Amino acid sequence: MNSPLPFHLLAKPTGAVCNLDCKYCFYLSKETLYPESPSRMSDDVLETYVRQLLAAQRGLPEVSVSWQGGEPTLMGLDFFRRAVAVVERYKAPGQRVQHTMQTNGVLLNDEWAAFLKEHDFLVGLSIDGPKAMHDAYRVAKGGQGTYEQVMRAWKGLSRHGVETNILCTVHAANGDHGLDVYRFFRDELGAKFIQFIPIVERADENTIEKASDGWGARRDGERPFYSQHGDLVTERSVRPDQYGRFLSDIFDEWIKADVGTIFVQSFDAALANWIGQPSMCIFSPTCGNALALEHNGDLYACDHYVEPDYLLGNIADTDMAEMVISPRQRQFGRDKLDTLPRQCRECEVLFACYGECPRNRFLKTEDGEPGLNYLCAGYRQFFNHVDRPMQIMAGLLSEGRFADEIMGMQPDQA
């Protein structure tokens, strides 16, 4: 019997429907894919999703049942109570399930927090830094900032002991303030787990004006649809050099005193590559094992490719495991490596980057070859900047020691 193929699925029970209008949120535009749909996952789709997911991952040490949006909490608590019950009904003896949810936090209260704690949910809460930086783009339908509501959610989750990761997008408003953002999360919020997500809003000359209004806006009665086309970006997008400095400035602070106590996904992922065990799809040679499930059961190749050309099928018609291992999806994953331009293949930090995510590969190389990542300059700067300490930490781990020992080394050792 073949061993199961590990894959990750982000399920979107409300599709693209959200109670916020974050200016940079490309997923808002996916609502146009289902114009006649109520955008609510039915109990039939819920049961099919859970049953197929748990069956496909049987034999693996842990299965993640992951909810995203749009905004998943719009489904209400009763939906998630049913979801947990369905998991309990279908999971195999000894099968460990991790429930996760990514949320803007606006609807979270004590009842939600108590439920999330009871069922050991890992929550990803979107916060973009201190108030002015957060409110720059993370706004409600009327345009008002959401900082106070998100802080209320953070405090409620903390009070109930819910394991919470901060999801911080990096963009024009906070991209020059890496240390301020990091210290806010570490010192004021007491956060232990942080993910930084670069905002790159791709557009072409026909869509750039509408895109600049925001993906929830409607100009001339039409909402722009986000797709992987064009070589322009909105002014909200983080610049490559800006992102490289953002990560480097935070790393220099983190490496002094926070290794082993503050977990920054970008740094953990980099260290994994330095020891030769890539852990994130964007920094792996190939991809194709991180898919997206829409509210109606449609399965897409990737969360960043929810568009008609990347629709694999519907789980009501074809088992998700069959679609995950299909030649079409495997080719999608191999294309990440096969389409790397020569400049990337010859790059000194190829092992750390692997061209990052294909969604950002829309520039040309110095010799005119297509496929260079928009963020290339920033990543190259960052990975070179951290090379020496990464080598030291990788060496410590290879000796059976701990990476945090780097903090006690003398400057000439480190």
Side-chain angles (χ1 to χ4, degrees):
M1 181 178 177
N2 293 331
S3 59
L5 174 68
F7 65 92
H8 186 263
L9 196 60
L10 278 178
K12 300 170 179 290
T14 64
V17 174
C18 188
N19 49 351
L20 299 190
D21 240 345
C22 301
K23 297 298 184 183
Y24 52 64
C25 182
F26 73 93
Y27 212 86
L28 292 171
S29 76
K30 307 302 181 179
E31 192 177 355
T32 60
L33 288 171
Y34 302 99
E36 307 301 324
S37 172
S39 294
R40 292 184 67 82
M41 181 176 283
S42 69
D43 285 350
D44 285 344
V45 173
L46 168 63
E47 185 157 346
T48 302
Y49 158 51
V50 170
R51 174 173 51 80
Q52 292 186 10
L53 178 70
L54 296 186
Q57 304 284 275
R58 196 163 292 158
L60 295 177
E62 183 174 279
V63 184
S64 179
V65 177
S66 303
W67 302 100
Q68 197 199 38
E71 175 50 42
T73 60
L74 288 172
M75 292 297 294
L77 253 178
D78 284 345
F79 173 85
F80 288 98
R81 291 189 178 105
R82 294 196 299 276
V84 168
V86 172
V87 168
E88 291 302 309
R89 187 159 71 248
Y90 282 106
K91 74 177 184 178
Q95 190 172 34
R96 173 170 157 71
V97 176
Q98 168 74 72
H99 297 277
T100 75
M101 177 187 292
Q102 297 184 23
T103 175
N104 59 42
V106 169
L107 296 179
L108 296 184
N109 54 23
D110 280 331
E111 186 180 12
W112 268 103
F115 167 82
L116 295 168
K117 176 61 178 177
E118 178 185 358
H119 297 287
D120 295 320
F121 269 71
L122 170 62
V123 174
L125 183 65
S126 295
I127 311 175
D128 281 0
K131 179 177 170 58
M133 299 180 204
H134 177 92
D135 284 348
Y137 303 129
R138 296 198 63 80
V139 297
K141 297 295 184 184
Q144 66 273 28
T146 58
Y147 177 82
E148 283 79 10
Q149 293 161 292
V150 178
M151 287 300 100
R152 184 170 63 243
W154 171 262
K155 291 173 183 176
L157 292 169
S158 300
R159 189 165 57 248
H160 284 268
V162 178
E163 188 175 353
T164 306
N165 289 356
I166 284 179
L167 309 179
C168 174
T169 60
V170 185
H171 43 66
N174 63 9
D176 288 329
H177 307 283
L179 279 180
D180 293 335
V181 170
Y182 179 67
R183 289 169 179 169
F184 171 74
F185 293 149
R186 182 193 62 188
D187 302 336
E188 295 191 38
L189 300 190
K192 300 298 183 185
F193 300 90
I194 307 168
Q195 297 179 32
F196 293 116
I197 305 161
I199 290 296
V200 180
E201 297 178 79
R202 188 174 175 180
D204 58 34
E205 55 189 30
N206 295 318
T207 60
I208 188 64
E209 287 190 18
K210 287 183 178 180
S212 296
D213 289 340
W215 300 100
R218 288 178 171 84
R219 182 183 286 216
D220 302 325
E222 276 186 46
R223 185 199 294 273
F225 180 73
Y226 189 90
S227 64
Q228 302 298 344
H229 294 96
D231 58 2
L232 303 177
V233 299
T234 65
E235 291 186 358
R236 291 182 297 267
S237 299
V238 67
R239 299 188 311 277
D241 61 314
Q242 189 179 40
Y243 190 55
R245 287 196 308 273
F246 182 95
L247 292 177
S248 296
D249 289 349
I250 294 173
F251 182 87
D252 290 347
E253 176 101 342
W254 175 81
I255 199 69
K256 294 174 185 174
D258 297 335
V259 182
T261 56
I262 308 296
F263 299 90
V264 180
Q265 186 187 46
S266 304
F267 305 160
D268 290 345
L271 182 56
N273 282 48
W274 253 265
I275 63 175
Q277 299 176 9
S279 61
M280 283 182 70
C281 62
I282 62 172
F283 298 133
S284 296
T286 61
C287 61
N289 297 330
L291 300 90
L293 184 76
E294 264 289 347
H295 64 286
N296 68 340
D298 282 350
L299 186 66
Y300 289 87
C302 172
D303 179 45
H304 293 280
Y305 286 84
V306 176
E307 48 190 275
D309 288 346
Y310 299 93
L311 173 62
L312 298 174
N314 190 287
I315 60 173
D317 305 317
T318 308
D319 191 282
M320 69 171 64
E322 185 178 332
M323 290 187 274
V324 171
I325 65 172
S326 67
R328 181 181 175 195
Q329 181 65 4
R330 294 302 93 204
Q331 186 61 55
F332 173 84
R334 286 193 300 270
D335 283 347
K336 183 179 191 296
L337 180 62
D338 293 346
T339 60
L340 270 180
R342 183 173 61 85
Q343 182 174 321
C344 292
R345 294 174 186 272
E346 297 175 356
C347 180
E348 72 279 5
V349 294
L350 172 65
F351 74 95
C353 177
Y354 289 110
E356 205 240 9
C357 183
R359 75 181 187 271
N360 293 327
R361 295 184 190 172
F362 52 83
L363 299 184
K364 290 186 177 180
T365 65
E366 294 170 359
D367 56 6
E369 188 179 359
L372 183 67
N373 197 295
Y374 167 80
L375 293 170
C376 171
Y379 279 125
R380 194 169 185 177
Q381 182 273 327
F382 169 68
F383 288 132
N384 276 295
H385 182 76
V386 303
D387 179 58
R388 177 62 179 158
M390 285 293 173
Q391 287 188 43
I392 293 171
M393 289 189 288
L396 289 168
L397 293 173
S398 72
E399 297 170 2
R401 298 164 66 183
F402 297 98
D404 62 5
E405 293 181 46
I406 192 173
M407 295 184 297
M409 291 182 172
Q410 298 298 318
D412 60 330
Q413 295 176 293

